[in-house]
Amino acid sequence: MLFRVDPASAVPLGDQIAACVRGALADGSAAPGERLPAARELADSLGVNVHTVLRGYQRLREEGLIELRRGRGAVVVPGATAPDRARLVSRLREAAAEARELGLTEEEFLDLARTSLG
Amino acid sequence: MNRATPRLRVLAALPFVLVLLAYLLVLALWYDRLPDPLATHFGPEGGGRADGFTGRTASAFVSTALLLGTAVGWNLFVRRNALWGAWATAGFTGTLLVLVLRDNLDAADAAEVVSPLVNLTLAAAGAALLALAGLALTRLVPEEEPAAGPGAEDGPRLPLGPSEVAGWSRTSASRPLTVLAVLALAAVPVTLLLAPWPGAWPALLGPVVGVPGLALARVRVTVDRRGLTVRPALVPRPRVRVPLDEIAGATARDVDPVSEFGGWGYRVRPRRTGVVLRSGEALVVRRDNGHEFAVTVSDAHTAAALLNTLVERRGRL
């Protein structure tokens, strides 16, 4: 899979890395169960700090898209729903960014999300 | 493409056909004067006394199969500058087969047949003679064109922003190789436990096959600002790296392991190296010196595009 980050962008590098994985999952260039490059290796590749990569991986873990295991590295969650889940997370992040632009508070945004659920 | 031309294949098969015809002719001429069964294997005792026997007709079939089998093998793997080898093989095998027939000639009892060691020298002479013929015939085969893959100018591209940094990484695996390597390793404890010690020593060959096999069974291919790196998926070393400075261009194309690389695994051929785990999609990198490095991996098109872009960017800086 392709990782591309822009240090000149306002988006934090860790988030950019997470977005690459989400995108790869969504378009099928990363498959469920696939192992991501080790954080240190990816950091060397891109010339960024290893903690930056780990921050990106940690975010993906919180989103339920990858599993992080000591010694095994980062693995895309197995199961056919992973690509759809990646797409859903991407859309949610877009929605959150839009809400921020509109000047919504966190509470207001969550209320809206809750209303959409019901 | 470095595939053998039809002419090269015909010239590689020719010596085996000629030798087979000569052998069958000799066999037909001498058929009534040969014992049945024939002495076909000789031991060191009594200066090469017979210790293995095959029926007269059966041995004709075995010899034919041997020659045809070797011919097929050479046909699959032959290259222009190895054509003489096909002729030498045919010469050696053919001379030996005919000499064994001669040793059997007019023997009342096949067990009394002796095949002197000098036969091997004669066979080597036969091999040398045909090797010279093969060498002379090499001139009839046009020289292999140096691999002319696309350079960075006309290969695929990946648009990158001026401050954007990119890397591509993917694993490539071979299931047959994994199975083979695991079997080779598993054979070690099994054999050592079940077989008595002196007979079990070949088991020690298990790791010789298994460890490199396992290292190659799953590799990680990385393309980044440093160039192209291929290493075992589980450990960082040993690795193969083509530095970005030495890359002229990259392309994605289908490779054929047998005709282009002579098999699977880490292959080194003249002007072409490769980590070839399967047939099909591969990332092929052309070095500045015209040599090629190939690694079979999916999504090779993206990797090639990134490499070309990185090479181009390096040129601009």
Side-chain angles (χ1 to χ4, degrees):
Chain A
M1 59 177 301
L2 182 69
F3 292 89
R4 48 197 302 177
V5 296
D6 191 345
S9 152
V11 182
L13 285 172
D15 286 358
Q16 293 188 38
I17 289 169
C20 290
V21 177
R22 262 184 241 121
L25 254 171
D27 72 16
S29 58
E34 187 171 318
R35 193 183 296 246
L36 300 184
R40 175 167 300 282
E41 194 182 7
L42 183 56
D44 279 351
S45 244
L46 299 175
V48 301
N49 193 296
V50 66
H51 296 292
T52 309
V53 176
L54 283 172
R55 223 170 3 250
Y57 279 8
Q58 193 62 37
R59 166 139 290 160
L60 290 164
R61 196 186 70 95
E62 285 159 10
E63 292 165 357
L65 293 176
I66 68 170
E67 289 167 2
L68 285 176
R69 292 202 193 125
R70 190 165 281 283
R72 274 203 74 211
V75 182
V76 175
V77 289
T81 54
D84 290 329
R85 195 183 172 95
R87 269 188 288 270
L88 176 65
V89 174
S90 299
R91 281 207 297 273
L92 271 174
R93 293 186 63 83
E94 274 169 37
E98 229 167 289
R100 214 170 288 128
E101 259 172 55
L102 283 174
L104 266 62
T105 65
E106 190 178 324
E107 212 37 57
E108 284 168 326
F109 177 68
L110 287 176
D111 279 346
L112 268 182
R114 234 172 259 125
T115 317
S116 322
L117 278 174
Chain B
M1 292 283 119
N2 205 2
R3 289 154 204 256
T5 59
R7 184 182 294 183
L8 178 57
R9 289 194 198 281
V10 168
L11 284 175
L14 185 63
F16 294 96
V17 174
L18 293 178
V19 160
L20 180 61
L21 289 177
Y23 167 78
L24 292 176
L25 183 71
V26 170
L27 185 69
L29 286 176
W30 286 349
Y31 199 73
D32 294 331
R33 294 167 63 191
L34 292 170
D36 191 9
L38 284 171
T40 48
H41 190 271
F42 306 88
E45 285 148 44
R49 189 166 300 276
D51 61 4
F53 307 92
T54 316
R56 200 164 39 174
T57 320
S59 87
F61 279 111
V62 170
S63 308
T64 307
L66 174 70
L67 284 169
L68 291 181
T70 329
V72 169
W74 270 101
N75 236 281
L76 281 177
F77 297 105
V78 73
R79 278 180 291 126
R80 183 180 185 272
N81 49 13
L83 180 63
W84 63 271
W87 284 71
T89 312
F92 188 84
T93 319
T95 315
L96 216 52
L97 286 175
V98 170
L99 286 174
V100 166
L101 287 185
R102 191 205 59 184
D103 294 331
N104 275 283
L105 207 56
D106 297 326
D109 180 3
E112 294 301 311
V113 172
V114 167
S115 180
L117 217 53
V118 70
N119 276 2
L120 287 179
T121 320
L122 291 176
L129 209 64
L130 284 205
L132 287 178
L135 215 51
L137 287 170
T138 305
R139 244 170 279 165
L140 295 179
V141 184
E143 284 207 42
E144 286 166 14
E145 297 278 315
E153 311 78 45
D154 45 356
R157 281 292 190 298
L158 188 110
L160 273 188
S163 59
E164 214 172 358
V165 185
W168 180 93
S169 178
R170 202 179 171 99
T171 56
S172 178
S174 160
R175 192 161 297 151
L177 201 56
T178 313
V179 172
L180 212 70
V182 168
L183 280 180
L185 289 179
V188 180
V190 172
T191 318
L192 289 181
L193 284 177
L194 295 183
W197 167 240
W201 72 266
L204 296 180
L205 289 176
V208 176
V209 177
V211 171
L214 212 56
L216 275 170
R218 187 174 202 92
V219 297
R220 181 166 284 280
V221 184
T222 306
V223 168
D224 57 25
R225 59 206 168 97
R226 296 164 297 188
L228 167 65
T229 312
V230 181
R231 62 161 181 83
L234 297 177
V235 286
R237 302 271 171 168
R239 66 169 192 209
V240 189
R241 174 171 284 171
V242 187
L244 197 62
D245 289 345
E246 293 173 18
I247 295 176
T251 178
R253 68 170 165 85
D254 286 352
V255 298
D256 183 44
V258 173
S259 69
E260 289 182 72
F261 291 93
W264 292 261
Y266 180 64
R267 315 297 303 179
V268 179
R269 321 246 35 204
R271 291 198 295 270
R272 171 173 297 169
T273 312
V275 176
V276 183
L277 304 182
R278 53 163 172 74
S279 57
E281 194 178 8
L283 169 63
V284 182
V285 168
R286 200 161 52 81
R287 288 172 176 258
D288 288 329
N289 60 14
H291 289 208
E292 270 189 356
F293 178 80
V295 53
T296 55
V297 65
S298 303
D299 193 26
H301 191 269
T302 308
L306 175 59
L307 262 182
N308 285 331
T309 305
L310 291 175
V311 166
E312 196 177 49
R313 181 188 267 184
R314 176 203 66 199
R316 262 208 317 267
L317 291 178

